[in-house]
Amino acid sequence: MIKLTQDVNLENYTLILPSVAVGNVGQLSVDLLISNLNLQKIGQIFSTAFVPIVGANAYNEHSNELVTAIDIYAGTEKRIVVVQIRSPYVRGLAEFFKELAQFVAEKKIAKVIILASSYDHEKKEVQPQHLKLRYIASPTVRTESGKLFDDLSWIPHKPKIMPDTNAEGTLQIPGGGFAKSIFTFLSNANVPCAVLFKFCSEGDNIADAVALACYLNQWINVLETSSDNLKYPSSWKYLFGKPPPREIY
């Protein structure tokens, strides 16, 4: 169930959501968007597919507002609506996908962008970090933005070539969570959509999140600061827990 607590006209907005994937890079990138654009919470999504959680405000230590497993944020100036997912999914996602597609259609949202990540070992060749970013776009998005992607030298993600037959295999995003599934679902529902993702490994994935957020920004131009000046959410101070007690040294 999608419940909006504020009446916001979302027509022609861009909806951005993360896939729960390796290194949580998509979710961290969404955190950066919410923090740096000062997006306001406008609703929640209640789904039995995700582990229910509740916690303190992730972006303002002095706020009494709580966060839940799936919250919705919006920015009227930049015309974006962002879904933040904070817990893993443990059941089938068909109903969640269906509700999201209906929400997009009813609110006349222009397009959906899924932020994700994939296992670094899937790209066996050594590459600079800026070449570890990929995109997948639906036909409508390719028609509207394909030239821009080419001008930006973006690399499309393609199916692997099968070594025995030299034929294309199926398109996969290993470690990418539900990114491919929701992209396929939305594409089949004629929703303009794209997946942007970065190859990475588990660990301190802040740099990966910054890179993915900046990659997104090359397309939609919502962040007005450089990667070096991005504001990190206050909750990131606790990404790796509390510091070790001094008594152990």
Side-chain angles (χ1 to χ4, degrees), residues 160-223:
K160 285 186 176 181
I161 302 298
M162 306 304 290
D164 297 333
T165 62
N166 287 329
E168 280 193 351
T170 57
L171 189 67
Q172 301 289 339
I173 309 177
F178 60 71
K180 182 201 169 190
S181 298
I182 194 170
F183 172 79
T184 301
F185 185 93
L186 293 174
S187 295
N188 291 339
N190 296 316
V191 174
C193 56
V195 180
L196 309 186
F197 71 94
K198 187 177 187 299
F199 293 104
C200 68
S201 300
E202 293 277 5
D204 183 349
N205 295 101
I206 290 177
D208 298 308
V210 170
L212 186 59
C214 292
Y215 188 58
L216 167 70
N217 196 52
Q218 291 178 18
W219 178 12
I220 63 173
N221 293 310
V222 293
L223 296 172

Side-chain angles (χ1 to χ4, degrees), residues 1-245:
M1 179 179 69
I2 299 177
K3 179 182 178 182
L4 295 185
T5 55
Q6 295 184 32
D7 185 17
V8 181
N9 181 4
L10 301 177
E11 185 173 354
N12 289 325
Y13 274 47
T14 295
L15 187 147
I16 301 165
L17 80 157
S19 172
V20 183
V22 56
N24 303 107
V25 175
Q27 294 156 289
L28 294 174
S29 297
V30 165
D31 267 353
L32 288 172
L33 292 175
I34 295 169
S35 294
N36 286 272
L37 297 175
N38 195 28
L39 303 183
Q40 301 303 304
K41 184 176 174 180
I42 64 165
Q44 299 160 298
I45 300 179
F46 301 95
S47 172
T48 57
F50 293 84
V51 175
I53 65 165
V54 65
N57 190 300
Y59 314 107
N60 183 351
E61 293 178 289
H62 306 292
S63 172
N64 292 324
E65 184 181 59
L66 298 175
V67 299
T68 65
I70 311 176
D71 289 327
I72 306 172
Y73 299 81
T76 55
E77 181 182 350
K78 301 298 183 180
R79 301 183 70 80
I80 65 170
V81 56
V82 172
V83 176
Q84 178 59 299
I85 300 174
R86 298 188 175 92
S87 69
Y89 57 94
V90 291
R91 295 184 181 178
L93 292 167
E95 190 62 29
F96 173 71
F97 291 172
K98 182 180 178 181
E99 286 187 3
L100 191 67
Q102 289 176 342
F103 177 77
V104 169
E106 290 171 2
K107 297 298 181 180
K108 299 180 180 179
I109 290 170
K111 61 181 176 290
V112 177
I113 303 174
I114 303 112
L115 302 181
S117 47
S118 183
Y119 291 126
D120 205 17
H121 61 254
E122 287 296 318
K123 297 305 296 178
K124 296 182 174 62
E125 65 271 22
V126 177
Q127 293 182 323
Q129 286 298 315
H130 72 281
L131 294 180
K132 291 189 176 183
L133 293 153
R134 295 290 187 276
Y135 79 93
I136 308 169
S138 67
T140 304
V141 171
R142 283 200 301 270
T143 299
E144 294 178 352
S145 303
K147 185 180 184 304
L148 173 62
F149 297 160
D150 292 340
D151 292 343
L152 292 170
S153 299
W154 279 19
I155 304 172
H157 183 54
K158 297 179 180 179
K160 285 186 176 181
I161 302 298
M162 306 304 290
D164 297 333
T165 62
N166 287 329
E168 280 193 351
T170 57
L171 189 67
Q172 301 289 339
I173 309 177
F178 60 71
K180 182 201 169 190
S181 298
I182 194 170
F183 172 79
T184 301
F185 185 93
L186 293 174
S187 295
N188 291 339
N190 296 316
V191 174
C193 56
V195 180
L196 309 186
F197 71 94
K198 187 177 187 299
F199 293 104
C200 68
S201 300
E202 293 277 5
D204 183 349
N205 295 101
I206 290 177
D208 298 308
V210 170
L212 186 59
C214 292
Y215 188 58
L216 167 70
N217 196 52
Q218 291 178 18
W219 178 12
I220 63 173
N221 293 310
V222 293
L223 296 172
E224 298 176 355
T225 185
S226 67
S227 60
D228 295 332
N229 295 318
L230 287 175
K231 179 177 70 174
Y232 293 173
S234 57
S235 57
W236 282 20
K237 292 188 294 186
Y238 310 105
L239 275 178
F240 302 103
K242 295 181 179 179

